[in-house]
Amino acid sequence: GAVVSQHPSRVICKSGTSVKIECRSLDFQATTMFWYRQFPKQSLMLMATSNEGSKATYEQGVEKDKFLINHASLTLSTLTVTSAHPEDSSFYICSARRVAEQYFGPGTRLTVT
Amino acid sequence: GENVEQHPSTLSVQEGDSAVIKCTYSDSASNYFPWYKQELGKRPQLIIDIRSNVGEKKDQRIAVTLNKTAKHFSLHITETQPEDSAVYFCAASMANTGNQFYFGTGTSLTVIP
């Protein structure tokens, strides 16, 4: 149990376009999901906390208009990177909370050309 | 807010030896301490966790110890194997509050055959 999927696993897009990443909890309901960004050889940087049915809570320095988060159901949260630029290229990982634990998706490698 | 420090940042051990990774935290309200293993390009996987009402927990070759007074917790891996090579992250949080995890900076463990 406690499986989290993420789609797509890799995406290449052109500068100025938008990209949507989906995070799903497959075998449990998650009222809270988290979105992280991870640079090579670095720790997980929390971007935002996504709560089902309410607005996401963004960490300081994360542009909410650029990284749109929607948590429309208890098993799905989406992150949309709007007007992507090369500096947005990174590894994005979501996690879903079940009781105290967090279970991570496999991540999405975003490359903006 | 919570601050989690992790040491060492890199660790090399001979196969069969033990590895110890240490973390400290600052917020005495934190009561849940998970450890994650992340292989290159993959998702972090929960390997063991401990709650503040317990001083030690063991699962086969992996153990975690917690000293609430000193606010530090450690991961111990015995009889290391090459497949233990990965990056390990500690985290601290307040369980059941929906609060975020505060991650350490990670330890890159290399087990030399």
Side-chain angles (χ1 to χ4, degrees), chain A residues 46 54 74 99:
Chain A
L46 180 66
S54 64
L74 288 171
V99 191

Side-chain angles (χ1 to χ4, degrees), chain B residues 37-40 81-88 109-112:
Chain B
K37 175 184 180 182
Q38 186 179 28
E39 297 178 20
L40 188 63
Q81 301 167 1
E83 50 266 38
D84 294 329
S85 296
V87 178
Y88 292 81
L109 173 64
T110 302
V111 179
I112 304 165

Side-chain angles (χ1 to χ4, degrees), chain B:
Chain B
E2 176 66 279
N3 181 44
V4 177
E5 295 189 356
Q6 183 172 347
H7 299 280
S9 57
T10 59
L11 179 60
S12 292
V13 299
Q14 290 291 138
E15 182 177 358
D17 288 349
S18 295
V20 180
I21 303 170
K22 299 182 179 181
C23 288
T24 61
Y25 62 100
S26 60
D27 191 342
S28 58
S30 291
N31 58 10
Y32 176 65
F33 308 92
W35 285 89
Y36 286 86
K37 175 184 180 182
Q38 186 179 28
E39 297 178 20
L40 188 63
K42 297 190 176 180
R43 77 183 83 195
Q45 298 269 21
L46 176 67
I47 57 171
I48 196 167
D49 56 12
I50 191 167
R51 286 167 169 75
S52 59
N53 59 347
V54 176
E56 182 175 359
K57 184 176 178 180
K58 191 173 181 180
D59 182 3
Q60 299 183 336
R61 297 186 297 109
I62 295 173
V64 57
T65 59
L66 171 65
N67 183 326
K68 285 191 299 181
T69 303
K71 295 196 192 74
H72 67 70
F73 56 112
S74 300
L75 177 71
H76 304 253
I77 306 174
T78 59
E79 301 173 28
T80 54
Q81 301 167 1
E83 50 266 38
D84 294 329
S85 296
V87 178
Y88 292 81
F89 293 100
C90 64
S93 79
M94 285 176 273
N96 300 322
T97 64
N99 282 16
Q100 66 183 78
F101 281 13
Y102 294 87
F103 283 92
T105 49
T107 297
S108 178
L109 173 64
T110 302
V111 179
I112 304 165

Side-chain angles (χ1 to χ4, degrees), chain A residues 5-18:
Chain A
S5 71
Q6 198 171 329
H7 179 80
S9 58
R10 292 178 179 272
V11 58
I12 301 173
C13 70
K14 292 187 176 180
S15 186
T17 62
S18 296

